[in-house]
């Protein structure tokens, strides 16, 4: 995979992760692959890479007897809780605080 494909896949992954984290504790159906291709103006292969990465990370699920991909509300809670815990000074080197702050503002 060349560098431009990697960055495009990462852009799609971040777009989906943003939608996932905003779904809160409700399971939500995500846009179709073709809708993402049109919205983000990337190839279908790029979209599939991002989706596969999020499935491996357990952020999204393919549900039996349902078409499409869905958010995983449990993972949203875990992610937000993990960021909050890591931002507390008891668990984190102060050099990483700006990184986590940026990550949390990017996701929210």
């Amino acid at each position: 995979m060349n560098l431009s494909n990697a960055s495009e896949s990462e852009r799609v992954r971040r777009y989906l992760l943003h939608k996932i984290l905003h779904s809160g504790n409700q399971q939500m159906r995500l846009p179709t692959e073709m809708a993402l291709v049109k919205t983000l103006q990337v190839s279908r292969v790029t979209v599939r890479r991002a989706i596969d990465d999020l499935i491996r990370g357990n952020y999204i699920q393919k549900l039996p007897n349902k078409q499409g991909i869905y958010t995983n509300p449990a993972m949203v809670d875990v992610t937000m809780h993990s960021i909050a815990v890591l931002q507390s000074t008891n668990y984190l080197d102060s050099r990483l605080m700006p990184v986590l702050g940026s990550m949390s503002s990017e996701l929210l």
Side-chain angles (χ1 to χ4, degrees), residues 80 83 87 99-108:
M80 298 314 294
I83 290 172
Q87 284 179 326
V99 173
L100 276 177
S102 171
M103 183 174 128
S104 113
S105 66
E106 181 179 310
L107 295 175
L108 298 174

Side-chain angles (χ1 to χ4, degrees), residues 1-19:
M1 172 169 46
N2 68 33
L3 189 56
S4 64
N5 283 346
S7 63
E8 288 296 301
S9 180
E10 179 63 18
R11 184 169 65 91
V12 174
R13 191 185 73 76
R14 286 182 182 196
Y15 174 84
L16 288 170
L17 193 55
H18 181 79
K19 285 189 152 305

Side-chain angles (χ1 to χ4, degrees), residues 56-102:
R56 280 191 301 277
N58 206 26
Y59 284 97
I60 58 179
Q61 308 168 319
K62 289 189 177 184
L63 300 174
N65 303 320
K66 288 192 176 186
Q67 285 190 325
I69 52 175
Y70 294 82
T71 61
N72 182 350
M75 188 53 78
V76 173
D77 290 341
V78 168
T79 300
M80 298 314 294
H81 179 73
S82 297
I83 290 172
V85 167
L86 289 172
Q87 284 179 326
S88 80
T89 55
N90 296 331
Y91 294 99
L92 186 64
D93 184 316
S94 63
R95 294 171 294 175
L96 294 176
M97 288 299 285
V99 173
L100 276 177
S102 171

